[in-house]
Amino acid sequence: MSFLVEENTAERRFEILVDDALAGFSAYTPRGETLVFTHTEVDDRFRGQGVGAALVRGALDQVRARGGRVVPQCPFVASFIERHPEYADLVVGRP
């Protein structure tokens, strides 16, 4: 199974493709260089296979690469960051 995370700026979301099929997305609202993550969905066919974690990791890695920050309003994104403190520095309002 191959994962590819791409930003779809027109839809304001990061999408994950699994073997070239759209498997999920994480929606955001931009605020300058900060992205407010509002909702994450993974298709039922792909749940329990690490797709959601791969999606959020890929999105956060892309935000980091361009020097952005995040506000994790989405509970899934917030939970991921809590479990992976190496991404805590991306959260607005944290040291």
Side-chain angles (χ1 to χ4, degrees):
M1 185 165 24
S2 68
F3 297 148
L4 175 65
V5 176
E6 296 181 317
E7 185 173 12
N8 180 337
T9 55
E11 295 289 329
R12 293 186 174 176
R13 65 189 197 177
F14 286 89
E15 300 173 340
I16 188 164
L17 303 174
V18 176
D19 297 331
D20 297 323
L22 180 63
F25 66 88
S26 191
Y28 62 79
T29 301
R31 286 191 196 153
E33 296 300 313
T34 300
L35 298 183
V36 180
F37 281 90
T38 57
H39 180 71
T40 301
E41 270 187 43
V42 173
D43 188 286
D44 289 340
R45 297 175 295 154
F46 298 100
R47 289 198 180 159
Q49 300 175 46
V51 172
L55 167 61
V56 174
R57 183 181 308 280
L60 294 176
D61 286 346
Q62 290 180 47
V63 170
R64 173 174 276 141
R66 64 179 180 231
R69 303 289 299 271
V70 302
V71 176
Q73 285 184 350
C74 167
F76 188 85
V77 174
S79 176
F80 179 89
I81 293 171
E82 285 177 21
R83 290 189 321 273
H84 299 89
E86 64 270 25
Y87 291 103
D89 62 306
L90 295 178
V91 177
V92 171
R94 295 205 183 167

